[in-house]
Each structure stands twice: as C-alpha cells, then as structure tokens.
Amino acid sequence: MSTSSPAERAARQVLLIAVVLVGIGVVMVYSSSSALAGTRFHDAGFFLHRQLLRAAFGLLIMFAISRVPLGWWRRLARPLLIGVIGLLVLVLLFGEGKGAQRWLPFRLPVAQITFQPSEFAKLVLVLYLADVMVRHRELMTDWQHGLLPRLLIIAIVLGLIVLQPDLGTALAIGTIALFMLWIGGARPAHLACVGIAGLPVIMVSVLTSPYQLQRLLTFFGDADPQGAGFQIAQAELALGSGGWVGVGLGNSMQKYFLPEPHTDFVFAFAGEELGLFGTLSIIGLFIALALHGFRIAAGARSDFGFSTAAGVTMMISVCALLNVAVATGLAPTTGLPLPFISYGGSALLWNLCGLGILSAVAREQEDKSGMRAALSPVTWRPAADHRHAHSRRRRRWSVLPLPWSPR
Amino acid sequence: MDPEILEDWDRRLRGLLVAVCLLFAVLFLRLFHLQITTAADYAKESEDNRIAQRRVKAPRGLIVDRDDEVLARNRASYSISLIRGSTEDDARSVAALEEAIGEPVSYSRRSASVRLKRDVDFQTVALVEERLRGDGFPLHVDIEPQRDYPYGELTAHIIGYMGELREEEAASATGRYLLGDYVGKTGLEKVYEDSLRGVDGVSYVEMDARLRIKDEHPFPDREQAPIPGHDLRLTLDLDIQRAAAQAMPDTLAGSVVAIDARTGAVLAMVSHPSFDPNVFVSYRAQDERRQIVQDSHRPLLNRAVSGLYPPGSTLKLVGAVAALEAGITDTLSTFEACAGSLQVGDVVFRCNNRDGHGELNLLDATASSCNIYFNHLALILGIETWHEYGRRFGFGISTGIDLDPEEQPGLLPDRQYHIEREGWVTGHLMNLVIGQGYMLVTPLQVARYAAALGNGGVLVTPHFYGEAPPTQQIEGVSPETWETVRLGMHRVVYGENGTGRRARVAGIEVAGKSGTAQGPRTNDDAWFVAFAPYDDPQIAVAVVVEDGGGGGATAAPVAGAVIRAYLEDQARRQQAVSAETLQTPEPGS
C-alpha cells in the first residue's frame, strides 16, 4: 500500500513491533531450551521448531485480522464470551496440565494440540467489555444498572479460572477488567470497593493451594530463599550475571539449573545472555507498544474502537509488567508468560490477535464514513459521528509529548 | 454525547498511559539495580552457589521365578562424567583421562554434565578418584544401577534384555525418559517395562563455579524419593527350565515349552541356541554383542514363539478328533490295510514303516503313527472339516502370550490358500493331515494343543505373569472323543508298538505323540508332545529338535526329562508343605 498516513503508519508500526518481539522470543526460546530439548528429546531444536511454527501461524493470523473490519468484532463479542465460558467449563471437566487443569487437548489426525482457554478468555473479555461499555455508556456511573451486570460476567469468567486453579491469570484479567471499567467511566470509588471485595477470594484461593501460599510466603521472605523461591533466586542470579551486555547468546549457565527455562522466566535468561542492553530493549519495545496503543485508542473514530484499543493495550502491558516484575523479584511468582516471548502457543496466538485488532482500529481512522457504514454491521450512532465531526480527541492528543508526530 | 464525558475519557486514557510508563520505569530501575549496581555480587554468588536439580533413578523391579529365585536384578555400575566448562578445559580433561586409562574417549557436550565412559572397572574408578581429581580435573564418578541376569543364557529369551533409548523412542515417550536411559528391549523386560520401571525422584545439590559439590542435600524438604518398580514373580520354574535346557542335545537347535495344562502358566520355555543377555546391558562387551547378532544360528530368535516348524505327526490328533466327531471312524473300525504306501491321484504317499503296518484301528494307528491310516481318514473327511478342527485347536492364530518379540501366528492352510498358489489337489490334504505341506506351527501352539488334548479340550492362554487369562472350551467335541484320543496318546508311550516309549517316567503316567517332520534342513525335525499325569493332566510339554531325526528317539527323552523334573519339583513342594504343617502347633495343644 502506498498510503503513508499517520494512521496507516501507526498500524504498521504496531505490527512491526510484534514481529520484532516474536523474533526475539524465538531466539530466546531456542537459546534457553536447547540444553533441555537435547537431553529430553535428543533434538536441540525441539522447542524451537514448535515455537517457529506457532509464531508463523500467529503472525499470519495477526496480519489477516488487521484487515478485518472492526464491526465484526463488536458483533462477535457476546457469542465469543459465551463460547469462552463454555470452554472454561470444559477445561475444568476434561482439562490436563501439571498440578492444575489448564489445557484442553485436541487430538487431530496429524498431531495433538493443547489449548489454554484462559488466555483466550483474556482477549474475549476485553472485546466484550469494550462493546458493553459503548452500549451502556451513560449507565457506567450507576452501580446497580451499569456496573453490577458487567461485574457478574467478569466474576463468572474469573471464578472459572480461579477454580483451575490459575490465580495468576485470573488476577491479570481482573486488573485489565478494572482498568477498562475505569476508562469506560465507572466511578473510582465503586471500583475500589470491587477490588476490596476481591481480596477475600484471593486469600481463600491462596490458602487452599499449598504452592500458591508457598510462593507468597517466599516472596515476603518467610521461607528460605532457595527452597520454594528456587526459581526466583536462580532468575535473579541469571539477571545479575548479565551486566551491561550479557554473557552472549547461548552461553547462559543458569539454564542448566532451572527445570523449564524457556517459559515463565525467559526474561531472566534474556537478561543473562544479553545483559541490561537486552532487557531494556525488550522493555522499550513494550513501552513503544503501549504508546502506540494508547495513541491509536485516542484517535479511534468509534467508541468501540477506542475502548478496544485501550483494552488490548492494557492487556499486553499488564501481562508484560507482571511477568517482568516476577522475574526481577518485585512480585510473587504468578506463572504468567511474557507476551510474544515465552514458549507457548495459546498466549502467543491471542496476543497477536489482539495486536491485529489494534491495528484494525488504527486503520479504521482511514476509512471514509461511507466505506465504514458499508463494511460494518453495526449501526453508527449519531453521537459518535458528532464526536468525529469535531475531531476533538486528535487535537487534544497533539499536546502530549510523543516521540513521533501524530501527523 | 456529552462533551464532558469525552473529556473525561481522554483524561483517564492519559492517566493510564502515565501509569504504565511509570511502572515500566520502576522495572527499569530494578533492572539497572540488579544488572549493574549489584551485578558483581550476583556474579560472585552465581559463581559460588549453583543449585542443580538431579534425577534419582528409581530402582527397577526384580524378576523372580515362582520360587523367588532371582532372574533379573540390579547391580551398581560406575561411569565417569565431566562437569562442563569451556571447550578448551573440557578437551584438556578428556585428554588427561584418555592418557590415564589408555583408551580413546568419545563425548558430546550437550548438557551440564558430560558422560565420558560408562560401566568402567574399579581400577579406572580409583584412577579417576585419586589421581585425576586430585590434579583438579572436573571429573567425577557416578554410580548407576545396571541390570544383571544371574542365569544368563538359561532365561535369555524369556526375560529379554535392556538397551539404551534410541532417538525416536525418546521423542515419543515425551518427558518420561531421558536419552541414554535403559529400557526393556525384548522379552518380559519390554512387556512389563511400565511396572518394572518405577517413578524417578528428584534431589538437589549445591555446587560452586567449578561445579564441585558443596552440599549434597541443600533442600531436604523439596526432594522427592523415587518410587521403586514392582517386582515380577513369574510362573516359570527354574528347576524345570534347567532340566529342559540340559535335556536338549547341545549341538542341535530347537525348543522346549512346558505349560500348566490347566491354566496355561508357562513352567519352562527353552530356545536353543541361546545367548548371554548380560552382553547387551554391558558397555564393555561390544564385540560379543556383534558376534551374537551376526551368528548364523540366530541365537536371538526365541524359537518357542517365533520359530515356525511343520508339526509332523504330532498334528495327526487333529484328524483323529475330527474323524471321531464326524463318525468316520471309532476305536474298533479299520481302513484298508497299510501296505507301506498309498496312491492318491498321481502321487504315491509313503508310510513311516515301508513294509506297512497291516490292518490297524485308530488307537494302534496313533500309537504306531501310521500315515496311511490317517490318509484314508482324511480322504473321507475333506479339507473343510479338517481345517475347522485345526482352527479350534488354535493353529494359525497367536496364543496371546505376554512376551515380546511379536509371537508368530503360524499357518493353517485352507483350500483357498492352495488355490491362490498352485491349485487344489487332494494330495495337499494328505500332507496336511500328517503335519506336512504348508502347515507351520510354533512350539508354544503345540504345547497348548497338547494341554487341550489332555484336559478334555480346554484351550488355555499361555502366560508368564499375573492372573490366568480366561480359558476357552473347544466346542462340539464329545467327552468320548477326548477319552479315545487320550487313550491313543497313552498307547504311544506304553503300547507295544508305541513310538514314544522313551518318554516314560517312573512314578508318573505319561501320554504323548511323536512327530518326525520333513523340513528344509538335511535331517528331519524331531517332535514330541506330551501331557502328564494321564489321569489328571497338570503339565503339557512340546519339544522340537531341529535336525534331530526321529521324534520318538530324539525328542521323547527330552519331554520325559521335563516331566521328571516336574515330578521332582512337585515332591519337593509336597515336602515343604508337610514340613510347614508339622511345625505349626496344633490348635489347643
């Protein structure tokens, strides 16, 4: 495409950042898992080949989705939510996994694929909340009619995930949902009450699950730091041995000491092999992604585009923040993957789908309203058009100090 | 839309962006602190203090015979490994080891610990421990369990052996095995791999930068003890097995199978020639291994389940049962007198006695194994009826024994089988009824057939371990028929002209049937099947000796020796039981 309007540029930049992050991820997965794959499967590229396949598939889906009209997602939001709740129930009944039931197995004729519905739930909940907030915009400040029905839906999804048990993912999704409600106009006082009400649930879940309790105690320095905090201690050792530029790709020593170096703690191994330079590059990419995301949200032509873009951006930022905080010992172990980089198919796929939608929001800015009306199944409200007629948002944003010009 | 709400949305979005950036800034500071400010401390700690997770192999279950005699056990073996450092350091250490032991060492730098040499002798262990480690080379000695088969050749085909895990197997058994693990490759070691293996445990060690161990158990609470594998107590009786192996002619190949005629429990299974399975689990015996694999006598083949032979005259009883049931003959009626040969179509079929047996009834024909009698009988019977009875006796299908390598089903040809080849003529049936032609059986199938003949038509499933699988009654055969055939087999051993007189054993009544099968070899294969005691069959035996000549002369004494061993074993058991009863004080006394 020859157009290089700011919106198109933003859309392309989001996709480019995704490709770079996924590329770093594939390299890190190979570097950290080759030893494990070598001894376990006699094939140093065992995890690499899988991750490469998933990355290629995910990127393909992302580029495809970035061309899908936004209205489709709005129409799909509620059916998808029902579907995801069904999958979460299925995973409780038939799921498999180590210690917790998180994966749904599909036995295809060619291969067996496992699928983690809680990752899917993250994206679907963002779409659902975006849709519902636009639909009931005026009610969001009202507790009984605006907030409570939404909270019930969120509680069902989170409850099903907590039961797996997967408290880490539930907490991340809960945080994303609260921020989205806040953006949507809910009163901070209401949200604070919800947050406080959630605390007992978290406590019960922690107290009934020995390993979660152990993780928490470890974090607060109760248990011996190399007992239950084995992974954290090794991760900090890995980061600490990195220095400015790291020990070099493939030279990590710590990867021999951790059972699964290529999953939740891959950031620590990036720190050991690539040093502060590497970790800051990764964090920088996530910050760039957040800036782009929020800017796309601010410039969105529709209310649904606005809240979807904000939600997707929050989804990726919250997960990245939590994972890095755990790897650097600032938060208790949650078992969350680092978006785009950790080994694993489900999270990668849905995060890339999210970015596809984000860049679709950016592209929406380009659409002529006639075009949009033709493509979109959703009827556009006069209020939205009124807003665009004044193009207030774009003007307001130009005062923010951004590293690039919006025009 | 109220512009105030839009204003509000903008404000909140900006707030969020600021929050996210602030949090990332916190992470940046933390990273700077970890990676730069305190990096030296961490680097030092990382040098001094590494925690490695180690796998603790679960001891593999023992395999014992029915009297708890150990047939497969574990012994300690020593292997030398190197703690990985830089490429040059590694090369130096390996060179030092090579020089010390005077042997080349091959290795691959795949994981933190590189295994250099497996199953070394104690002298090498001492060398490494005292000299090389003293000189500062990061070598160490691991103790690994290794399989040991104390009876070697005697039980090789049954127990099988273990071998190193190959690539494709490792990938398919995701996560359960590591490369280089030993797994059951053949025999019961393979069939019962899952229960023998147990579950490995986990332990932790603390090491310094040279990976010298500082603390063997830094976290006792986190360690998981291995769960040992289950022991396997077989139905096999080592005394009977030994007797069977010794009775086989040393120079000839062949097989002996003895099963419990009531349950199918395998008491002995000999395949001759055999091999030493310890050669396959040892790292020192590469040459011997090659020799066994390349041996033209094929010692690795378990002839009892995978050897295919024409059964010869032992199969005649299928024809006898079929004929009795079809009403073609009874114990008294006779066919045309045997003159030593019979012409069917263009072909002349000869009897084992060239002068002819004269006029015979079924019992005498069985005892003297007259081919002509059974040829007459088959002419009336027809291939379909004969094939149907052969199938009922379990020929042409696997017995379902719990043993790997895959059991051979043998071949029970029907009319269609011949039509697809050179066409059907009645002459084929003349061959089949005396166990020749295309007919092929395994010794195990024949042992089961002998058991069914003795126990009134109960087809058992041979097995080595566990509950006896369900048996199956051969349908449509009257008790009178079974009794007649049993009587015929009794005459084989005790009759005046019986071919199996050399299977007699003092103190027990034996019934049997000899066979002399013409195969591809220069000499005939000698066969003998038997069951005993005659009144209440407990043991059924099948013996085949390749190139052995006459079945009555070569195979019958082997069957007799097995039955004698069984008898002696029973007597010992009786004694043990009565001794125990005597020791137990009478209640109330």
Side-chain angles (χ1 to χ4, degrees):
Chain A
M1 216 181 266
S2 59
T3 46
S4 55
S5 65
E8 178 63 28
R9 263 207 310 274
R12 282 200 210 152
Q13 272 162 351
V14 162
L15 299 186
L16 182 70
I17 292 172
V19 172
V20 173
L21 277 171
V22 168
I24 293 176
V26 167
V27 172
M28 288 323 298
V29 161
Y30 178 59
S31 170
S32 62
S33 72
S34 58
L36 178 71
T39 42
R40 196 185 285 172
F41 302 106
H42 198 200
D43 172 14
F46 182 83
F47 295 109
L48 172 72
H49 298 145
R50 270 145 208 257
Q51 192 70 356
L52 266 177
L53 258 175
R54 293 164 175 173
F57 178 69
L59 288 172
L60 216 72
I61 297 279
M62 178 184 76
F63 285 113
I65 281 181
S66 73
R67 303 276 166 187
V68 169
L70 204 55
W72 290 24
W73 294 112
R74 189 164 177 193
R75 202 168 52 165
L76 275 174
R78 274 186 287 190
L80 279 177
L81 183 77
I82 293 165
V84 102
I85 290 175
L87 284 173
L88 286 171
V89 171
L90 278 181
V91 89
L92 280 181
L93 297 176
F94 308 110
E96 42 189 56
K98 294 180 206 152
Q101 297 193 329
R102 293 179 188 173
W103 284 268
L104 266 185
F106 291 101
R107 289 183 175 84
L108 302 180
V110 272
Q112 188 187 330
I113 293 175
T114 57
F115 169 69
Q116 210 178 342
S118 54
E119 291 293 339
F120 186 34
K122 216 185 283 178
L123 182 63
V124 169
L125 203 63
V126 164
L127 291 175
Y128 166 76
L129 285 176
D131 175 46
V132 99
M133 274 157 44
V134 173
R135 212 182 288 278
H136 305 288
R137 196 168 9 182
E138 291 83 0
L139 289 172
M140 288 312 285
T141 48
D142 182 85
W143 171 264
Q144 204 184 338
H145 298 101
L147 209 52
L148 202 58
R150 265 84 267 173
L151 287 175
L152 274 178
I153 297 282
I154 297 171
I156 290 172
V157 172
L158 293 190
L160 286 169
I161 295 174
V162 169
L163 282 177
Q164 289 182 5
D166 188 355
L167 190 62
T169 305
L171 275 177
I173 297 182
T175 312
I176 296 164
L178 282 185
F179 276 117
M180 280 199 77
L181 290 172
W182 182 65
I183 292 184
R187 289 178 196 276
H190 286 166
L191 296 177
C193 289
V194 173
I196 291 165
L199 283 181
V201 179
I202 297 173
M203 273 173 63
V204 168
S205 173
V206 166
L207 290 175
T208 51
S209 159
Y211 76 92
Q212 284 174 355
L213 183 63
Q214 196 55 57
R215 282 171 170 184
L216 202 67
L217 289 176
T218 305
F219 179 68
F220 289 113
D222 185 71
D224 86 322
Q226 294 199 323
F230 180 67
Q231 282 189 311
I232 297 175
Q234 295 294 325
E236 286 187 18
L237 274 186
L239 280 170
S241 331
W244 284 102
V245 290
V247 295
L249 264 183
N251 290 335
S252 161
M253 276 311 286
Q254 294 300 326
K255 68 186 171 197
Y256 296 114
F257 294 88
L258 266 184
E260 308 261 319
H262 53 297
T263 56
D264 301 346
F265 281 89
V266 73
F267 185 77
F269 293 92
E272 186 186 3
E273 300 202 335
L274 304 175
L276 187 67
F277 167 75
T279 52
L280 287 194
S281 304
I282 292 173
I283 285 191
L285 285 167
F286 278 113
I287 292 177
L289 207 55
L291 286 173
H292 269 103
F294 285 125
R295 215 182 70 70
I296 288 172
R301 285 226 172 166
S302 65
D303 294 347
F304 179 68
F306 163 76
S307 35
T308 306
V312 167
T313 309
M314 279 310 293
M315 171 177 100
I316 287 159
S317 302
V318 165
C319 292
L321 279 167
L322 270 175
N323 178 280
V324 175
V326 169
T328 51
L330 287 179
T333 313
T334 52
L336 286 178
L338 183 60
F340 310 113
I341 294 186
S342 286
Y343 177 78
S346 300
L348 182 65
L349 180 64
W350 303 122
N351 284 330
L352 287 173
C353 283
L355 286 197
I357 294 172
L358 187 63
S359 87
V361 175
R363 291 219 163 96
E364 192 195 32
Q365 301 171 11
E366 281 306 293
D367 292 341
K368 305 285 171 285
S369 26
M371 265 287 279
R372 192 176 62 217
L375 284 172
S376 166
V378 178
T379 326
W380 293 89
R381 298 177 179 205
D385 286 338
H386 157 82
R387 216 179 75 206
H388 296 129
H390 293 81
S391 66
R392 290 165 42 88
R393 181 156 288 120
R394 211 172 288 185
R395 268 207 310 277
R396 297 283 311 183
W397 269 92
S398 55
V399 300
L400 255 192
L402 291 178
W404 62 87
S405 151
R407 271 175 245 280
Chain B
M1 168 63 66
D2 185 353
E4 253 176 57
I5 290 185
L6 291 175
E7 185 78 22
D8 190 40
W9 279 16
D10 274 355
R11 203 165 39 80
R12 293 185 181 202
L13 198 59
R14 229 167 321 130
L16 218 50
L17 176 61
V18 171
V20 167
C21 287
L22 266 179
L23 285 171
F24 271 119
V26 170
L27 291 181
F28 166 80
L29 288 177
R30 172 71 176 171
L31 279 172
F32 190 84
H33 175 73
L34 280 178
Q35 299 200 269
I36 307 301
T37 320
T38 56
D41 303 343
Y42 276 114
K44 186 177 178 306
E45 193 182 339
S46 155
E47 284 291 284
D48 295 349
N49 181 8
R50 293 166 190 272
I51 307 296
Q53 212 177 22
R54 276 195 175 178
R55 188 167 65 139
V56 186
K57 283 287 291 173
R60 194 174 173 88
L62 302 178
I63 302 179
V64 299
D65 88 335
R66 65 170 176 171
D67 297 317
D68 289 329
E69 194 70 42
V70 177
L71 308 178
R73 62 189 175 194
N74 307 307
R75 69 171 173 84
S77 91
Y78 301 94
S79 64
I80 313 260
S81 46
L82 164 74
I83 295 152
R84 214 185 105 156
S86 71
T87 316
E88 303 83 59
D89 283 352
D90 289 358
R92 222 176 355 250
S93 303
V94 172
L97 179 69
E98 280 176 338
E99 199 197 318
I101 63 175
E103 267 181 66
V105 170
S106 64
Y107 66 104
S108 95
R109 300 172 76 245
R110 251 184 212 292
S111 50
S113 178
V114 184
R115 192 174 310 161
L116 295 178
K117 205 85 182 151
R118 270 176 118 145
D119 198 12
V120 297
D121 53 23
F122 201 73
Q123 197 189 341
T124 314
V125 171
L127 208 73
V128 169
E129 281 290 346
E130 295 186 2
R131 230 181 71 201
L132 295 174
R133 273 170 68 91
D135 293 344
F137 291 107
L139 298 167
H140 66 114
V141 177
D142 293 324
I143 302 175
E144 293 174 298
Q146 197 184 33
R147 210 56 164 165
D148 182 40
Y149 305 106
Y151 292 99
E153 294 197 353
L154 186 55
T155 55
H157 295 103
I158 302 164
I159 309 294
Y161 53 83
M162 300 184 66
E164 211 173 333
L165 197 63
R166 292 200 309 267
E167 295 175 37
E168 63 269 35
E169 292 168 322
S172 69
T174 308
R176 290 194 57 206
Y177 295 94
L178 293 182
L179 195 78
D181 277 3
Y182 267 76
V183 293
K185 289 279 186 180
T186 65
L188 297 172
E189 290 271 35
K190 178 171 179 185
V191 174
Y192 293 109
E193 167 73 21
D194 284 346
S195 65
L196 285 168
R197 184 171 169 266
V199 181
D200 293 339
V202 175
S203 80
Y204 294 86
V205 285
E206 191 178 342
M207 296 182 288
D208 65 10
R210 296 296 302 176
L211 302 197
R212 272 185 291 259
I213 291 166
K214 288 170 66 185
D215 187 350
E216 282 279 2
H217 300 283
F219 322 123
D221 297 346
R222 278 171 66 85
E223 303 201 339
Q224 286 161 21
I227 302 167
H230 291 289
D231 292 347
L232 224 58
R233 179 195 267 171
L234 306 184
T235 60
L236 193 78
D237 190 303
L238 196 65
D239 297 319
I240 303 176
Q241 175 82 3
R242 197 183 280 120
Q246 281 167 357
M248 278 292 288
D250 284 343
T251 51
L252 298 177
S255 175
V256 183
V257 176
I259 62 175
D260 188 314
R262 299 155 297 191
T263 63
V266 181
L267 300 168
M269 178 183 279
V270 170
S271 177
H272 208 270
S274 188
F275 62 95
D276 184 1
N278 291 305
V279 162
F280 285 84
V281 291
S282 169
Y283 257 78
R284 281 182 249 170
Q286 306 284 351
D287 292 341
E288 286 102 314
R289 201 182 307 182
R290 197 172 312 116
Q291 224 169 353
I292 291 172
V293 173
Q294 290 168 353
D295 192 332
S296 62
H297 295 104
R298 303 185 64 196
L300 287 173
L301 179 73
N302 184 356
R303 288 168 159 79
V305 296
S306 305
L308 291 173
Y309 302 90
S313 301
T314 56
L315 196 74
K316 281 177 180 162
L317 302 167
V318 171
V321 169
L324 286 166
E325 279 306 313
I328 290 165
T329 184
D330 54 36
T331 46
L332 297 176
S333 45
T334 59
F335 292 104
E336 194 181 315
C338 168
S341 65
L342 175 71
Q343 182 160 358
V344 179
D346 301 340
V347 190
V348 175
F349 292 91
R350 297 201 178 277
C351 193
N352 49 6
N353 183 344
R354 293 293 145 95
D355 301 331
H357 288 98
E359 203 165 83
L360 293 170
N361 62 25
L362 179 66
L363 298 178
D364 295 330
T366 305
S368 58
S369 200
C370 173
N371 287 353
I372 303 303
Y373 180 93
F374 283 91
N375 285 340
H376 278 302
L377 187 144
L379 279 173
I380 308 170
L381 203 57
I383 174 77
E384 275 75 21
T385 315
W386 176 85
H387 181 270
E388 171 58 22
Y389 279 90
R391 198 186 55 73
R392 289 188 195 174
F393 273 106
F395 290 112
I397 30 177
S398 306
T399 65
I401 191 171
D402 48 350
L403 199 62
D404 207 271
E406 286 288 302
E407 188 189 358
Q408 289 288 337
L411 178 61
L412 178 70
D414 55 6
R415 188 192 293 266
Q416 190 60 34
Y417 180 87
H418 290 92
I419 289 172
E420 283 162 14
R421 280 154 188 84
E422 67 256 43
W424 173 256
V425 290
T426 317
H428 287 307
L429 181 59
M430 300 296 102
N431 278 330
L432 291 174
V433 77
I434 60 166
Q436 294 288 157
Y438 292 110
M439 182 80 189
L440 288 173
V441 298
T442 66
L444 185 67
Q445 282 175 326
V446 177
R448 175 162 80 154
Y449 159 73
L453 288 168
N455 65 20
V458 178
L459 208 58
V460 296
T461 302
H463 60 277
F464 277 106
Y465 175 70
E467 294 281 305
T471 57
Q472 190 193 334
Q473 176 70 42
I474 294 175
E475 300 281 325
V477 181
S478 67
E480 292 75 32
T481 299
W482 291 123
E483 215 32 67
T484 307
V485 175
R486 278 164 48 84
L487 194 60
M489 290 176 74
H490 188 263
R491 293 228 182 139
V492 170
V493 182
Y494 295 100
E496 215 170 293
N497 294 318
T499 54
R501 277 167 296 175
R502 299 182 67 178
R504 288 182 197 176
V505 177
I508 191 166
E509 251 185 308
V510 179
K513 182 73 193 82
S514 64
T516 306
Q518 286 155 12
R521 282 168 280 273
T522 45
N523 212 338
D524 295 342
D525 291 346
W527 272 99
F528 201 79
V529 301
F531 61 83
Y534 176 68
D535 295 329
D536 172 29
Q538 293 167 9
I539 179 172
V541 185
V543 179
V544 60
V545 183
E546 296 174 19
D547 274 343
T554 316
V558 180
V562 172
I563 292 168
R564 190 175 304 113
Y566 176 76
L567 193 64
E568 284 164 7
D569 191 67
Q570 286 302 99
R572 251 198 312 278
R573 261 162 225 282
Q574 219 89 63
Q575 250 170 17
V577 169
S578 50
E580 221 166 82
T581 328
L582 281 179
Q583 278 168 7
T584 319
E586 291 289 317
S589 68

